[in-house]
Amino acid sequence: MIDLTSCLPYRGRFAPSPTGPLHFGSLIAATGSYLQAKSHAGEWQIRIDDIDPPRELPGASDCILKTLEQFGFEWDGPVSYQSQHTEQYQNALDTLQEKGLVYPCVCTRKSIAATQTSSAGKNIYPGTCRNGLAEGNKARMLRINTQQAIIQFEDKLQGHCQYDLENEVGDFVVFRADGLFAYQLATGIDDANQKITEVVRGFDLLDSTPCQIHVQQSLGLSSPDYCHLPIVINSAGQKLSKQNLAPALDPQNVQQLLWQALNFLGQKPDTSLANEPLINLWQWAIDHWQLSKIPPENQISQ
Ligand code: GLU
């Protein structure tokens, strides 16, 4: 496939899920993607990944946008919402179905675990329903066929990545048993449709990347470049996340927190910058941003 990303103007994005307020881990992803975009004189867009209502918290989207504003992030164009893209996701599923690349599946987590080949503790779907359902069985979800899908990409920080999707991930769900579009489908489609040229996000999403590229390739869409940043872990060694109740970013403390984010990302801001007006700190960060200064570890404590 022709690599279109190399001739398009840089466009990055930050795509939080509205499952709670932003925390220091989210600040790292937002800051890294913002500085990559700004230092390439590119655009930076916000997309709210709100396609999983059971996990969402009322008011979280507005709270996230307000926090980003308080930190001085300036985004291009209107904020987009995955919940408004369902027609595109449905059209994509229809196309995949016409091409015979997705199929209905009746398997439950339990039945998969029982028949299972497991790779590094992960259950790999063995393709049980790939050749059709037994009569009388009612489809619960749709899976995408990953047979012979070897996905390769050059991550700007992680280097060369290669996945044998069928054996390392298995046919993954693109339409869920609870009637919702799956994250891998929605994100693969949006990043391509929104002409994102580079996705900068946390290392925890590295293994999602081949799935999203597979969705794009199956639909004949081009893929962005990728750059997976180190993630922040707490003292118990867990990734900071809304699920394990990472503290929300304190709007009273934006300079210090942004300074800490730059420091976490290895940019070595001078201590005096922590007390400068936010605008000066951003200007310094944009002028001095270098991916090569980011520490090589993938998990770093705060
Ligand atoms: N919405 C996802 C999250 O907040 C991130 C999506 C992405 O960057 O691809 O974890």
Side-chain angles (χ1 to χ4, degrees), residues 193-231:
N193 284 352
Q194 296 179 317
K195 308 222 169 343
I196 301 301
T197 58
E198 184 172 75
V199 168
V200 180
R201 59 185 174 190
F203 173 75
D204 53 316
L205 290 168
L206 184 69
D207 288 349
S208 290
T209 301
C211 299
Q212 293 164 15
I213 294 176
H214 184 58
V215 165
Q216 290 156 349
Q217 291 183 349
S218 304
L219 288 162
L221 299 169
S222 57
S223 300
D225 291 337
Y226 290 92
C227 175
H228 288 86
L229 303 168
I231 57 166

Side-chain angles (χ1 to χ4, degrees), residues 24 28 31 35 230 255-271 274 281 284-285 289 293-295 300-302:
F24 189 70
I28 296 301
T31 304
L35 290 173
Q255 271 96 336
Q256 282 73 16
L257 285 164
L258 180 58
W259 187 93
Q260 283 170 29
L262 295 169
N263 198 44
F264 179 94
L265 288 166
Q267 304 300 303
K268 299 197 169 51
D270 193 86
T271 40
L281 189 50
W284 179 90
W289 173 248
K293 289 193 192 161
I294 295 177
I300 306 177
S301 39
Q302 190 176 353

Side-chain angles (χ1 to χ4, degrees), residues 96-241:
L96 291 171
Q97 229 154 359
E98 279 157 25
K99 291 180 165 197
L101 296 176
V102 292
Y103 60 87
C105 170
V106 293
C107 299
T108 58
R109 261 177 227 272
K110 220 165 145 188
S111 70
I112 297 170
T115 53
Q116 236 339 260
T117 51
S118 131
S119 159
K122 282 190 295 188
N123 282 334
I124 310 291
Y125 182 67
T128 318
C129 297
R130 213 184 264 152
N131 298 318
L133 304 183
E135 200 150 330
N137 272 340
K138 204 168 156 349
R140 302 178 61 243
M141 64 198 106
L142 290 173
R143 289 182 185 273
I144 190 165
N145 194 323
T146 57
Q147 275 173 304
Q148 281 150 27
I150 305 292
I151 305 287
Q152 305 191 48
F153 55 96
E154 292 302 322
D155 187 278
K156 293 265 170 70
L157 287 172
Q158 311 299 327
H160 183 73
C161 299
Q162 176 167 329
Y163 291 78
D164 170 350
L165 266 195
E166 182 183 6
N167 294 308
E168 290 177 62
V169 177
D171 295 354
F172 55 91
V173 174
V174 284
F175 188 73
R176 294 168 23 175
D178 57 4
L180 296 170
F181 296 100
Y183 160 70
Q184 308 295 13
L185 178 89
T187 296
I189 292 171
D190 282 343
D191 287 338
N193 284 352
Q194 296 179 317
K195 308 222 169 343
I196 301 301
T197 58
E198 184 172 75
V199 168
V200 180
R201 59 185 174 190
F203 173 75
D204 53 316
L205 290 168
L206 184 69
D207 288 349
S208 290
T209 301
C211 299
Q212 293 164 15
I213 294 176
H214 184 58
V215 165
Q216 290 156 349
Q217 291 183 349
S218 304
L219 288 162
L221 299 169
S222 57
S223 300
D225 291 337
Y226 290 92
C227 175
H228 288 86
L229 303 168
I231 57 166
V232 189
I233 51 172
N234 63 21
S235 51
Q238 302 160 314
K239 170 183 115 99
L240 289 199
S241 72

